[in-house]
Amino acid sequence: MLNIDGFAYTNRLKNVHPTEKAVFALLTLFLCLVFSSFTVSCLTLLLMTVVTVRRAGIPYRAYFRMMAIPFSFLVVGVLTIGITITTQRVEQEWLGSLTAAGVTFGVTSGSIIKAAELAGKSLAAVSCLYFLALTTPVVDLTAAMRKLRIPSLFIELTELTYRFIFVLQETAEDIYLSQSVRWGYSSLKNSYKSLGSLTATLFLRAHHRSGMIFTALTARGYNGQLSVLAPEYRVSTANILMITVVELLLLSVGVIAEVKGI
Amino acid sequence: MSIETGDWIIEACNLSYMYPDGTQALRGVSLKIPKGGKIALLGSNGAGKSTLFLHLNGILRPREGVVRFAGSDLKYDRQTLLELRKNVGIVFQDPDSQLFSASVYQEISFGPLNLGLPEEIVRERVETAMAATGTGEFRQRPTHMLSYGQKKRVCIAGILAMNPSVMVCDEPTAWLDPKNARQIISLFNQIASDGTTVIISTHDVNLAYSWADYVFIMAEGNIMGEGDPESVFRDEILMYKTNLEKPWLVEIHEILLKKGCFPADSSMPRNRDELYQLLRNNNMCRREEMLNDFNNIRDEGRERNNVTLGIKRL
């Protein structure tokens, strides 16, 4: 299992202001999406990889394993764009083709460029989000969301969901363990039965726990709003300056690439 | 401890409560909590301790009876309830049912923010509560990566930050190892020494005997007995009726008293050290013999630290 959550709390950039990190990731993502340029995508990918692995200290093995996850989806998507299938006998500039039973499969230079652009853009976009996910704990993200005046209902839901994923996971693990020590998963039939009762129990527990949480919140004067304070982070002028320079560079590269049509 | 009349912070008169499923949890409970005391509520599972606690904070409303806080009857309107919850904080038994936030800091700030305090004061209170409970060291860790004892301390910090005048803790030492339990108890002592009334529920008679100023014994939704620990735990009939055991100190004291080792009017030892002191004062045995005994116990590996401590002081 990839421990994204664990890295978020232990990486070397954990003390950097979450808004700085969010702005950096999202602005880069934005530029990368606006300029559909292969150069910008590659630069973004390189930039994010270096920052995540070198600056934040995420082990490169873990990072590349994470990058491999979208890769498999990407391959399928890119293949469908890269390979042109046609029944028309119109002569195209095939780089290579195969005709069978009146259907032509092949690649053209145009389709290859398009596919490469798409692959680059997707990986670059994913690397931006991974940077954010790996360096910024969810609690910091929601704190930044609060500052950005995102509706509190949305933020509270995010926070509660996040917290209770772990509680639910722990409960599920406990139930699974107690079932398996009693041979609950010894055969396929038993496994089906045990998994069913695990799911049912999990729902009941979740319901019960939500009641208890509500009681505990009420006892502390809950009035319909989960108002909390986040720890304060220091704003770093150096970081802001660096982000500005990097983004401006990326922007100019993008503009030049657009003009020259690379 | 001497308690003067009228010095009650919380009073409950004849409380009855039935859960929607028909369980009669409280059957006419009356109790008076002295201000600034260390109170233990003892009783076996299902005695109604937790239900009673939920009444003290206004979460549950009794079918019959009255709850009084600082002398005035509790009205169940928004403002009164909010005021009550500001003054009476509850630490629940299961920390996972109390911690709603993944961030230690956010969790602790929730209570004081609900009191409508300005941000700077809330931040100050969060820092103070974290320092008092020793939770500051893991402020950057999410709550799901904390150990059980650490979660418990975060829960206590969350209540402490509200500066309540009464702190109610449901089974604070349950599932804790001895070291963590000791830390929690010394934390309660510290909180109590600042003038906060601390009420805990427990099954642990030894803890209740050593720690509390005043003890209530509950069974089947009723208060079966109350008083200072010395008198309550010597009540054989009460102990028998409520399925509780005598604290070991009481038992030993009684045995030694029967053997004529102490004068009949000697005060009961409340902890290990007081027992050693008593033994020494009454020249019960010669020093060398005692050292021998203690060494034997120590060699058996039991209570190593406490015994050595006892010998050193003799």
Side-chain angles (χ1 to χ4, degrees), chain B residues 33-296:
Chain B
I33 307 284
K35 200 173 186 168
K38 296 194 279 187
I39 320 288
L41 185 63
L42 272 154
S44 41
N45 293 330
K49 299 181 303 259
S50 303
T51 312
L52 176 62
F53 279 175
L54 292 176
H55 279 83
L56 302 185
N57 180 280
I59 300 281
L60 294 181
R61 194 174 179 165
R63 295 187 101 197
E64 282 167 44
V66 200
V67 177
R68 280 194 206 104
F69 180 78
S72 50
D73 285 12
L74 183 59
K75 289 189 276 318
Y76 289 83
D77 59 272
R78 243 180 82 87
Q79 201 49 47
T80 324
L81 281 179
L82 208 64
E83 191 62 26
L84 179 73
R85 284 165 192 163
K86 178 174 157 183
N87 282 302
V88 183
I90 303 188
V91 179
F92 290 86
Q93 182 178 348
D94 180 7
D96 276 328
S97 298
Q98 180 162 348
L99 301 174
F100 71 91
S101 171
S103 146
V104 172
Y105 196 96
Q106 289 192 358
E107 179 70 38
I108 302 175
S109 71
F110 175 71
L113 270 182
N114 284 337
L115 304 180
L117 298 168
E119 192 181 315
E120 312 85 71
I121 300 201
V122 173
R123 287 197 189 279
E124 240 176 72
R125 287 218 185 164
V126 172
E127 292 299 333
T128 319
M130 286 205 288
T133 51
T135 45
E137 55 187 283
F138 38 82
R139 63 198 300 161
Q140 286 206 323
R141 300 238 301 276
T143 45
H144 55 260
M145 289 187 189
L146 301 182
S147 74
Y148 184 81
Q150 290 170 330
K151 283 184 194 171
K152 194 95 200 175
R153 280 193 275 160
V154 174
C155 288
I156 296 175
I159 301 299
L160 207 56
M162 296 175 79
N163 271 355
S165 45
V166 181
M167 185 146 147
V168 180
C169 299
D170 203 356
E171 302 279 0
T173 56
W175 302 339
L176 284 180
D177 59 44
K179 182 179 158 235
N180 272 304
R182 261 202 310 278
Q183 281 177 348
I184 296 277
I185 289 302
S186 71
L187 177 60
F188 286 155
N189 284 335
Q190 193 191 322
I191 296 169
S193 70
D194 294 339
T196 309
T197 310
V198 182
I199 310 175
I200 66 166
S201 73
T202 181
H203 318 280
D204 187 345
V205 284
N206 292 312
L207 169 67
Y209 174 72
S210 299
W211 178 80
D213 299 327
Y214 201 82
V215 176
F216 291 95
I217 307 234
M218 261 190 109
E220 290 166 12
N222 258 316
I223 301 283
M224 306 295 276
E226 61 178 286
D228 49 62
E230 285 93 343
S231 55
V232 165
F233 290 115
R234 264 193 300 197
D235 189 337
E236 307 262 354
I237 300 167
L238 180 62
M239 292 294 107
Y240 177 75
K241 269 202 308 199
T242 51
N243 290 322
L244 290 173
E245 278 174 4
K246 272 189 188 175
W248 68 271
L249 278 163
V250 176
E251 212 156 322
I252 286 186
H253 184 256
E254 278 178 356
I255 292 169
L256 294 175
L257 208 61
K258 253 184 221 158
K259 286 192 168 176
C261 298
F262 316 132
D265 61 344
S266 68
S267 65
M268 279 172 69
R270 285 291 292 278
N271 51 45
R272 213 177 288 268
D273 284 345
E274 282 182 28
L275 179 67
Y276 291 142
Q277 183 73 31
L278 201 62
L279 290 170
R280 198 177 63 165
N281 287 351
N282 290 288
N283 285 324
M284 201 196 103
C285 15
R286 276 182 297 128
R287 193 189 150 104
E288 303 86 77
E289 271 177 48
M290 240 168 113
L291 266 175
N292 248 339
D293 288 348
F294 283 138
N295 279 336
N296 287 340

Side-chain angles (χ1 to χ4, degrees), chain A residues 49-195:
Chain A
T49 307
V50 167
V51 173
T52 312
V53 177
R54 300 290 304 178
R55 278 297 300 278
I58 307 296
Y60 66 92
R61 272 169 185 280
Y63 183 73
F64 287 118
R65 258 178 37 212
M66 280 180 65
M67 286 304 272
I69 299 172
F71 208 78
S72 51
F73 295 101
L74 203 58
V75 167
V76 179
V78 165
L79 278 184
T80 50
I81 289 175
I83 297 175
T84 312
I85 304 169
T86 178
T87 47
Q88 289 166 347
R89 294 185 177 279
V90 182
E91 202 52 37
Q92 294 198 34
E93 286 179 27
W94 298 111
L95 289 177
S97 66
L98 189 78
T99 311
V103 184
T104 312
F105 300 85
V107 287
T108 65
S109 62
S111 71
I112 279 193
I113 289 172
K114 229 181 194 170
E117 264 177 20
L118 181 81
K121 201 160 136 183
S122 312
L123 280 177
V126 166
S127 72
C128 292
L129 289 179
Y130 274 166
F131 164 76
L132 195 61
L134 284 165
T135 60
T136 319
V138 170
V139 287
D140 283 352
L141 276 184
T142 53
M145 277 153 73
R146 265 201 185 86
K147 285 228 173 76
L148 297 174
R149 303 251 175 266
I150 288 170
S152 60
L153 177 71
F154 182 72
I155 298 172
E156 283 171 16
L157 264 177
T158 312
E159 285 177 336
L160 287 177
T161 309
Y162 174 68
R163 162 86 182 112
F164 287 100
I165 283 173
F166 295 99
V167 176
L168 207 66
Q169 185 192 338
E170 226 169 84
T171 317
E173 276 167 10
D174 287 349
I175 299 174
Y176 178 81
L177 196 68
S178 86
Q179 284 176 330
S180 52
V181 295
R182 284 176 286 166
W183 289 55
Y185 294 91
S186 55
S187 68
L188 193 66
K189 196 180 148 207
N190 280 355
S191 301
Y192 277 131
K193 245 165 75 181
S194 300
L195 196 65

Side-chain angles (χ1 to χ4, degrees), chain A residues 16 33 35 45 55 77 88-89 107 115 124 139 161 199 230 234 253:
Chain A
V16 173
L33 292 182
F35 301 112
L45 186 58
R55 278 297 300 278
Q88 289 166 347
R89 294 185 177 279
V107 287
V139 287
T161 309
T199 318
R234 236 180 304 131
V253 169

